[in-house]
Amino acid sequence: MITLAFDVYGTLIDTQGIQVTLAEIIGDEQQANAISRRWREKQLEYSFRRALMEHYQPFSVCTRQALDYALREAKVNLNQSQLDSLLAAYRTLPAYQDAQDLLQQLQSNDARAFAFTNGEAKVASDLLTHAELIEYLDGIVSVDVLRTFKPSPRVYHHFSEATDSAANQTWLISGNPFDIIGARQAGWRTAWVQRGNALFDPWGEEPDVTVQSLSELPEKLAL
């Protein structure tokens, strides 16, 4: 049986959805867009750095510290209430429009579908519940228990053990190239969701399948 491992942030959940709350708080849509993107960049950078240093802090800490950096860089000063509002909004980010339709469609076939995330399990559960996706998933696998982050080889092995799935029967579905490359190194099949004008890393690695929308997956994966 095929097992589908769906990355959460940037694949099922739109991290740029935070722009709405940011714009409401700082009153400038263009600046909100820039801060949102920088926030996401630093969030990932901090997770990579902490994994490499073996100095773990949960993904929610990386998220908070990345926000602090992005605001300082933009020279935007917010009070504690505003910061709390932003971090709370990050736990209620919207799903991409194609996510629910695809997961609903998968209910009618034999593939198993799991969320596979850097985020803590409780945070991911709350996020996916708010986005009305959790009922279509067979479970959530968080890397938090390993005290490291994707794309460490250990996280892909952990997923296989947690879901009792064979590497060659597992597909990673992700909008993040670093995740795709990590999964390929673990012997998984991979489907890259190319959101917008995103580029794939030029590492001599390619995903097995590239789609612009999750709605293309059933045909591409013969589900």
Side-chain angles (χ1 to χ4, degrees), residues 179-201:
D179 199 7
I180 294 291
I181 293 172
R184 283 183 56 82
Q185 292 297 310
W188 291 19
R189 307 294 298 280
T190 58
W192 179 44
V193 187
Q194 185 182 21
R195 300 286 188 190
N197 297 318
L199 298 177
F200 200 81
D201 296 328

Side-chain angles (χ1 to χ4, degrees), residues 7-16 90 92-96 99 127-128 131 133 195:
D7 172 64
V8 175
Y9 295 96
T11 305
L12 295 177
I13 299 296
D14 183 5
T15 59
Q16 296 310 305
Y90 213 87
T92 57
L93 290 168
Y96 282 104
L127 181 63
L128 293 166
L133 299 180
R195 300 286 188 190

Side-chain angles (χ1 to χ4, degrees), residues 104-122:
Q104 282 181 314
Q105 187 175 348
L106 293 177
Q107 298 289 292
S108 63
N109 63 42
D110 293 331
R112 298 187 301 160
F114 293 87
F116 180 37
T117 181
N118 275 338
E120 302 96 300
K122 178 62 166 62

Side-chain angles (χ1 to χ4, degrees), residues 112 116 141 154-168 170 186 188:
R112 298 187 301 160
F116 180 37
V141 178
R154 291 196 291 132
V155 306
Y156 304 99
H157 180 67
H158 169 66
F159 179 93
S160 296
E161 285 193 334
T163 61
D164 192 25
S165 54
N168 62 1
T170 303
W188 291 19

Side-chain angles (χ1 to χ4, degrees), residues 9 13 17-18 21-22 24-25 39 60 63-64 67 78-94 122-124 126-128 130-131:
Y9 295 96
I13 299 296
I18 197 66
T21 305
L22 264 169
E24 290 174 352
I25 289 175
W39 185 1
S60 58
T63 300
R64 186 186 71 243
L67 172 60
L78 301 182
N79 60 40
Q80 191 59 52
S81 176
Q82 291 170 320
L83 291 172
D84 290 344
S85 293
L86 278 172
L87 292 169
Y90 213 87
R91 290 175 176 244
T92 57
L93 290 168
K122 178 62 166 62
V123 173
D126 290 347
L127 181 63
L128 293 166
H130 181 269

